[in-house]
Amino acid sequence: MKIVVESTDNAIKEAAQSLIEGRLVAFPTETVYGLGADANNQKAVSRIYEVKNRPRNHPLIVHISSINQVYKWARNIPEEALNLANRYWPGPLTIVLQRSDLAKDFLTGNQEFVGLRIPNHTMALKLLEEFEKLGGNGVVAPSANKFGAVSPTTALDVIDEIGNDLGQNDLILDGGKCIIGIESTVVKFAKETIELIRPGAVTLSQIEKFTGKIVSKPQEKLGFRFPGILDKHYSPVAKVFISNKAMPGDGFIALNELETPKGAIRLASPNNPTEYAQQLYQALRLGDKKKLGRIFVVPPIIGEFSESIFDRIKKANGGLNLDG
Ligand code: TXA
Ligand code: MG
């Protein structure tokens, strides 16, 4: 595995060439780091599932660089889906649509739908554009973590997560810290309905306001601890409590305005929900690096973005992020 820190044209071209040749390239986006592969190369996509230890029925998001590509990957595209894409792309929004023949079972987890997104990150966009210039079309990229673990928001996190599982010729592009810090909003357009599959920085009411339609929320999918086999991949390793009752020696994550309970170890002090999202995964990782047994987290409550953050805290509290 090679780490590329410069975002020079040549470095990115080389990374795009790697994708064309079937290698994996981890890259930064505005949300979290993704582990990329050529979406049309079954072998390369298969390696993503192996590296992440992710069940094969979990669909991957296809990352594209222009709205025109939506027509290649999807069909029967509702107009409001296209309008929404035009409004929020490039950005932290994944749109799930009826798939075209191009979107094969090996990336949709056998579903008739495909998730698409244009990320808002210079390095990611350049990579996608160079890849397309070389004849590529679409890069699948799940978060670059082990299944069930916290998504990486720096290149170092990617190394910690999957560095040992990448091959000699795979790449990690280092684009610094991710500006949003939690994964994209995922919305599914099925016939007449719009469903929020995963909350994120683009909020449910923004989508409702924009489309003029009610967006249904999925049933709460709380994570839970599998006994045994996935032991290593709990997210995080420390047990997460949604409470301010930290005891001496426990980790503590809360907005800056909240005082640290006596003897607790402060892991982050964000000033607002935006900073909270940026720092949350780093703080959970820090708790694990410090080998803390327990981390107490007080979620932010003001503003709709707080609900998306709370979703991720609940997943960490459940011990296993089934989003993978
Ligand atoms: O912010 C993000 O979306 C990041 C960056 C790298 O783009 N990617 C990411 O991918 O979080 P992943 O694979 O870790 O999570 C993908 C989410 C899952 O919740 C998955 O179920 C949903 O998107 N998803 C993708 N394709 C889908 C489909 N066809 N139908 C339903 N859900 C889908
Ligand atoms: Mg993930």
Side-chain angles (χ1 to χ4, degrees):
M1 160 197 81
K2 200 173 127 196
I3 297 149
V4 181
V5 277
E6 344 99 88
S7 57
T8 58
D9 285 354
N10 269 347
I12 307 253
K13 272 184 195 156
E14 205 182 294
Q17 183 62 35
S18 282
L19 286 171
I20 292 281
E21 286 167 16
R23 293 197 274 275
L24 304 187
V25 177
F27 62 94
T29 80
E30 80 280 34
T31 56
V32 300
Y33 273 73
L35 177 61
D38 179 348
N40 292 292
N41 183 331
Q42 180 165 10
K43 254 196 184 158
V45 175
S46 177
R47 276 197 58 221
I48 284 189
Y49 284 92
E50 281 159 27
V51 167
K52 280 180 62 81
N53 195 16
R54 175 171 168 145
R56 301 269 166 172
N57 60 353
H58 282 234
L60 300 174
I61 298 169
V62 179
H63 294 66
I64 53 181
S65 74
S66 76
I67 296 221
N68 295 336
Q69 286 161 277
V70 172
Y71 298 97
K72 295 190 182 158
W73 286 98
R75 66 169 152 227
N76 299 331
I77 307 160
E79 208 177 308
E80 66 253 33
L82 277 180
N83 291 339
L84 199 65
N86 270 305
R87 167 68 182 81
Y88 286 104
W89 283 354
L93 176 71
T94 296
I95 300 183
V96 176
L97 296 166
Q98 262 187 57
R99 68 171 170 178
S100 71
D101 294 339
L102 197 60
K104 297 282 192 287
D105 280 347
F106 65 75
L107 70 91
T108 70
N110 293 316
Q111 296 198 40
E112 291 306 316
F113 287 83
V114 62
L116 301 169
R117 164 166 126 84
I118 303 183
N120 188 14
H121 190 289
T122 325
M123 219 171 178
L125 283 172
K126 257 198 202 169
L127 176 69
L128 292 169
E129 282 160 11
E130 289 300 334
F131 175 71
E132 285 147 20
K133 273 190 209 157
L134 294 170
N137 172 23
V139 171
V140 284
S143 49
N145 50 277
K146 286 287 189 183
F147 178 66
V150 175
S151 293
T153 53
T154 67
L156 271 180
D157 298 344
V158 178
I159 298 171
D160 279 351
E161 280 287 331
I162 55 169
N164 288 338
D165 306 275
L166 291 175
Q168 249 194 343
N169 296 317
D170 296 326
L171 294 179
I172 298 176
L173 299 185
D174 185 347
K177 265 191 191 163
C178 299
I179 195 114
I180 291 183
I182 63 169
E183 306 83 350
S184 64
T185 305
V186 181
V187 271
K188 178 173 176 176
F189 286 79
K191 291 211 175 100
E192 293 300 296
T193 62
I194 310 179
E195 192 188 324
L196 182 75
I197 291 184
R198 182 173 72 185
V202 175
T203 64
L204 180 126
S205 52
Q206 283 177 319
I207 299 168
E208 288 190 330
K209 228 182 251 166
F210 192 80
T211 58
K213 286 201 165 175
I214 300 285
V215 175
S216 62
K217 270 191 182 181
Q219 290 172 329
E220 295 276 277
K221 272 193 291 177
L222 275 181
F224 52 89
R225 286 187 184 267
F226 284 116
I229 45 168
L230 287 167
D231 260 356
K232 274 200 232 134
H233 306 142
Y234 288 148
S235 110
V237 177
K239 181 128 183 63
V240 171
F241 294 83
I242 303 172
S243 151
N244 63 356
K245 303 270 185 301
M247 301 298 283
D250 289 334
F252 188 66
I253 301 172
L255 284 171
N256 192 24
E257 65 207 34
L258 290 186
E259 236 177 81
T260 311
K262 216 172 156 218
I265 298 152
R266 189 84 187 205
L267 298 171
S269 303
N271 287 304
N272 49 52
T274 304
E275 286 185 15
Y276 201 113
Q278 283 167 354
Q279 296 173 22
L280 176 63
Y281 290 163
Q282 285 295 316
L284 293 172
R285 280 179 192 282
L286 182 61
D288 278 350
K289 279 201 190 107
K290 289 180 180 291
K291 303 222 178 331
L292 304 182
R294 312 196 303 172
I295 301 175
F296 284 71
V297 185
V298 184
I301 48 171
I302 296 179
E304 216 195 338
F305 188 32
S306 290
E307 287 179 31
S308 309
I309 298 168
F310 190 44
D311 171 80
R312 305 308 195 273
I313 294 171
K314 279 189 292 185
K315 282 172 178 159
N317 166 254
L320 181 68
N321 176 4
L322 292 176
D323 242 10

